[in-house]
Amino acid sequence: MDNDNMRFMGVSEVAKILGIGKSLAYEYLKSEDCPFSVIRINSRYAVPYNGFKMWYESFANGSQGTK
């Protein structure tokens, strides 16, 4: 397996990229409206980097990508 394809981000990193606080990031990741994949492991949230990056780039380019 290629470890570069298995990178995950935590809530703090997602919050920083989106320019929001951690509390709002938690709410967003928990919501049904979250447009990218989120993996919950016990009480931790992990966001696959590649999926988030594709969504973020499409959002920045004016289209709103979905899961």
Side-chain angles (χ1 to χ4, degrees):
M1 277 189 201
D2 185 2
N3 287 339
D4 291 338
N5 292 327
M6 296 178 56
R7 180 168 177 235
F8 293 91
M9 299 185 305
V11 176
S12 296
E13 191 172 0
V14 171
K16 184 176 180 180
I17 292 169
L18 296 178
I20 60 177
K22 278 179 62 175
S23 295
L24 185 56
Y26 273 111
E27 286 183 40
Y28 191 54
L29 296 180
K30 291 178 190 178
S31 77
E32 295 289 325
D33 297 330
C34 186
F36 47 85
S37 296
V38 178
I39 299 168
R40 184 169 180 190
I41 303 168
N42 293 325
S43 62
R44 298 190 67 180
Y45 289 84
V47 176
Y49 174 78
N50 290 336
F52 178 84
K53 181 180 174 187
M54 287 189 323
W55 168 80
Y56 187 77
E57 288 173 351
S58 70
F59 185 76
N61 290 330
S63 65
Q64 290 194 348
T66 57
K67 286 185 182 177

